[in-house]
Amino acid sequence: MVKKYSLLLLSIILIFGAFLPQGKSVAATGSITISTDLVNVRGGPGLSYPLVKIANRGEKYQIVKEQGDWVQIQLSFGKTGWVVNWLVTKDNEFQQESKPESTASKNNTGIVNGDTLNIRSEPSTSSPVIGKLTGGTSVTIYSKQNNWLEVGFSNVRGWVRSEFIDSQSSSAQNGTTQNEKTASTVTGTVTANSLSVRSEASLNSNPIGTVTYGLSYKIVEEKNNWAKIEYNTGSFGWVAGWYLDKKTVKSQSGQAVKKSIITIIHNGTNIRIDPNVQSGVLDRANKGSNYPVKRVINDWYEIKLKNGKTGYVAGWLVSINGTKQQIEKPGAELYLKNKTIVLDPGHGGVDKGATGASGTYEKELTLRTSQLLSNKLIAAGANVYVTRKNDSYLQLAARVNMARNYHADAFISLHYDSNLDRSVRGMTGFYYHSYQKALAESIFTSTIGQTKLINRGVRFGDFHVIRENSQKAVLIELGYLSNPEEEMTIKSSEFQENAASGLFIGLARYFKENE
């Protein structure tokens, strides 16, 4: 397990550079607006720093400084925190220092010819990144220094490598006119798990659809780093261009967009007649079966079967193009709004619960997981009650009474396991009454998917907090503290984040599918 998470951590480092120094800090002025839901604010510029708070879409914060892909923001009571810059929108122009004398004529325009291009504060690869441009974006060229161009786009002005910019003059010299360039077809492949399609090129506009990881679409128009696509036959909308991997395909070459392939990840997966869980079953597929994707409808893939027929499979039951990225029911968190959730961090006070191989107390971990999950649920509009918010002990009957008194829609008891055999590891879900089983399965499946622990299954369990509970209640054992390697994994910040996300998504999915 440790090796597995080490590889995951290395991948994150290589992709985001979150744990490595990213150049000197750059003082900045102005403010940012959170541009997506549930953004983590951390204690430092990297994923290894502790979570300070969760910011919500639309919240505004003053900028303190910037470092690489991170922005330090001013919080309340004199505190500060860090957010990644691609999850926020700058409200004020970045303040640049004066630049060297230019050898290029002023205010020329250029087109980005690379897929993604970093804008840096100085003409050097060691200089901090202050923005990103995607292929096909038009920029204003202000000056040139050696192999660097000073460019401006929107409210950002900085330096980019000149070979990734086609200026109007260089296009003419190469015998390529702008009209000839637009004759090529530009396609974009979605790089996010799920991406909202909006009615206008703005985060403030209404969502009208969803596209998912690995699928490609023809880009019919671009505006301010947004791309207009035909996401369904005859239906057009706007998506954020920074979540598209763009390629230019010459129209005369007849090159087709790469087809997406889904792979079934569970035996006995239902292929349905229509894209919903109430539809009849057309066929069943086993783990490892592959099917070409025709299109995506909400959270469902329309696929072509071997007999030529078409059917639908739920996006959370497949992987796409050989990756583990799955649809996580975009918008499902809306189903948590106004739901009453009681969280029960197991043990507490004099009851330490299990003790890990290196001395970790179960009561401390359950409280930590509960706090992370509570923050996510509150941000989604749920009414959250926690049986204990500190290191105190509460009788089992009192925990059950909270679920009953608040008429809880769901009661989640959080635990970590132990065994005399230190080789035992994995996650287990428990229910007692039949009306609790569906909730247990939804939460367990989602949390296993997020944490990648060994799957020990969902089963009947004779535990007081679920046996005596008249509400829909489950008990989750989130790994074995008695296993030295698993103990290291489950007490890490990364695992805790993933576990809270899995529990959150599982709850949202349950309410979406069952109510």
Side-chain angles (χ1 to χ4, degrees), residues 19-34:
F19 294 88
L20 298 176
Q22 300 186 30
K24 62 183 179 180
S25 298
V26 180
T29 60
S31 62
I32 57 94
T33 300
I34 303 298

Side-chain angles (χ1 to χ4, degrees), residues 212-224:
T212 55
Y213 182 90
L215 296 183
S216 298
Y217 300 88
K218 178 182 177 181
I219 297 174
V220 297
E221 185 181 347
E222 292 187 87
K223 181 193 299 184
N224 296 334

Side-chain angles (χ1 to χ4, degrees), residues 189-190 212-216 257-264 290-293 301 318-326:
T189 301
V190 180
T212 55
Y213 182 90
L215 296 183
S216 298
V257 177
K258 180 182 178 182
K259 296 294 183 181
S260 295
I261 302 293
I262 60 99
T263 302
I264 304 296
N290 297 316
Y291 300 93
V293 176
Y301 290 111
V318 304
S319 61
I320 182 76
N321 287 346
T323 74
K324 293 183 179 179
Q325 301 288 352
Q326 301 171 30

Side-chain angles (χ1 to χ4, degrees), residues 242-416:
W242 53 93
Y243 286 120
L244 294 180
D245 179 14
K246 292 195 286 188
K247 305 289 183 184
T248 301
V249 181
K250 297 295 183 181
S251 56
Q252 60 267 32
S253 68
Q255 181 179 349
V257 177
K258 180 182 178 182
K259 296 294 183 181
S260 295
I261 302 293
I262 60 99
T263 302
I264 304 296
I265 59 177
H266 299 294
N267 286 328
T269 294
N270 291 328
I271 309 297
R272 297 188 180 272
I273 299 171
D274 294 306
N276 60 73
V277 293
Q278 286 78 36
S279 174
V281 176
L282 182 65
D283 197 0
R284 285 186 171 85
N286 289 326
K287 180 178 179 180
S289 300
N290 297 316
Y291 300 93
V293 176
K294 297 186 67 177
R295 60 175 175 160
V296 180
I297 299 179
N298 296 324
D299 303 331
W300 294 76
Y301 290 111
E302 182 181 6
I303 60 176
K304 185 176 181 180
L305 305 180
K306 292 178 173 58
N307 60 9
K309 294 183 179 181
T310 58
Y312 296 88
V313 60
W316 54 94
L317 300 176
V318 304
S319 61
I320 182 76
N321 287 346
T323 74
K324 293 183 179 179
Q325 301 288 352
Q326 301 171 30
I327 294 176
E328 293 295 352
K329 288 193 167 295
E333 63 272 12
L334 297 177
Y335 291 82
L336 287 164
K337 189 173 183 179
N338 297 323
K339 296 296 182 184
T340 299
I341 312 296
V342 174
L343 301 181
D344 175 37
H347 309 283
V350 295
D351 179 8
K352 296 182 294 186
T355 300
S358 67
T360 305
Y361 289 155
E362 180 183 2
K363 67 174 184 177
E364 296 173 353
L365 273 188
T366 58
L367 188 60
R368 186 177 168 194
T369 310
S370 171
Q371 290 168 340
L372 289 171
L373 177 57
S374 176
N375 290 339
K376 294 179 183 295
L377 291 169
I378 291 171
N383 303 310
V384 182
Y385 300 93
V386 184
T387 57
R388 65 179 184 95
K389 295 183 179 181
N390 49 40
D391 186 18
S392 58
Y393 178 74
L394 190 67
Q395 295 286 342
L396 297 180
R399 300 175 193 242
V400 173
N401 286 339
M402 282 189 68
R404 183 185 306 113
N405 293 339
Y406 289 117
H407 306 287
D409 295 297
F411 174 95
I412 314 296
S413 190
L414 302 172
H415 291 263
Y416 289 86

Side-chain angles (χ1 to χ4, degrees), residues 35 86 134 189-192 195-198 200-203 211 219 222-229 237-246:
S35 56
W86 57 86
T134 55
T189 301
V190 180
T191 61
L195 181 60
S196 294
V197 182
R198 299 183 180 273
E200 302 292 339
S202 167
L203 288 170
V211 292
I219 297 174
E222 292 187 87
K223 181 193 299 184
N224 296 334
N225 236 11
W226 287 76
K228 189 175 185 179
I229 62 171
W238 293 86
V239 296
W242 53 93
Y243 286 120
L244 294 180
D245 179 14
K246 292 195 286 188

